[in-house]
Amino acid sequence: MRRIIAIALVLMMIVSMTACVGEDKVEISVVLKTLASEYWGYVKNGCDAAAKELGITVTVVGPDAESNIAGQVTMIEEQIAAGCDAIVCAPNDAAAAARTVVEAVAHSKLVADVTAGTTTTAQPTYNPIPSCGCCNK
């Protein structure tokens, strides 16, 4: 439940940050650990509800299993290429996702790691906070 609340708060934070730079249409990508579990299904439902309430576009994706680390990294890369304003991710493997997070920051994306596990040398763009790590350029 705390993680669902954290993701909703991150979505609201990203919307407000994006609004500060004058974006008309906000598009946020959420890459979850998997969409094949009941828990992450609830998180997806919460993201969809927050998108509707905030009037933004949220794309929620996730691999078929938490063990599909390469698939999740590919999904993060695809969301960067799709041109979203921000990416919220819950990496299955923090080390494997770190390079992709740095790439997202390099593409001027706001990135929030809701598991606060991804470590990156992209300092000071990576600022971990309790229960949520954020990479903000």
Side-chain angles (χ1 to χ4, degrees):
M1 185 61 164
R2 286 184 9 206
R3 192 166 288 163
I4 293 171
I5 292 169
I7 290 175
L9 291 172
V10 167
L11 286 174
M12 288 186 281
M13 176 187 72
I14 289 173
V15 168
S16 65
M17 292 173 128
T18 306
C20 291
V21 295
E23 295 288 327
D24 293 327
K25 181 180 175 188
V26 177
E27 295 183 26
I28 299 173
S29 294
V30 179
V31 183
L32 299 176
K33 290 182 178 276
T34 183
L35 291 178
S37 79
E38 184 177 5
Y39 174 78
W40 291 107
Y42 289 134
V43 173
K44 180 188 181 312
N45 293 341
C47 291
D48 292 342
K52 185 175 180 180
E53 181 178 325
L54 297 169
I56 61 173
T57 301
V58 176
T59 302
V60 181
V61 297
D64 56 351
E66 288 188 36
S67 60
N68 188 352
I69 295 164
Q72 186 189 44
V73 170
T74 298
M75 289 177 178
I76 297 170
E77 292 168 344
E78 290 169 349
Q79 297 310 305
I80 294 168
C84 61
D85 299 306
I87 299 173
V88 177
C89 62
N92 291 324
D93 183 315
R99 179 191 56 78
T100 310
V101 167
V102 170
E103 180 183 335
V105 171
H107 282 86
S108 299
K109 306 289 184 209
L110 295 171
V111 179
D113 170 358
V114 296
T115 59
T118 305
T119 56
T120 166
T121 58
Q123 299 291 347
T125 57
Y126 181 78
N127 303 304
I129 58 176
S131 299
C132 174
C134 296
C135 301
N136 299 326
K137 190 163 189 166

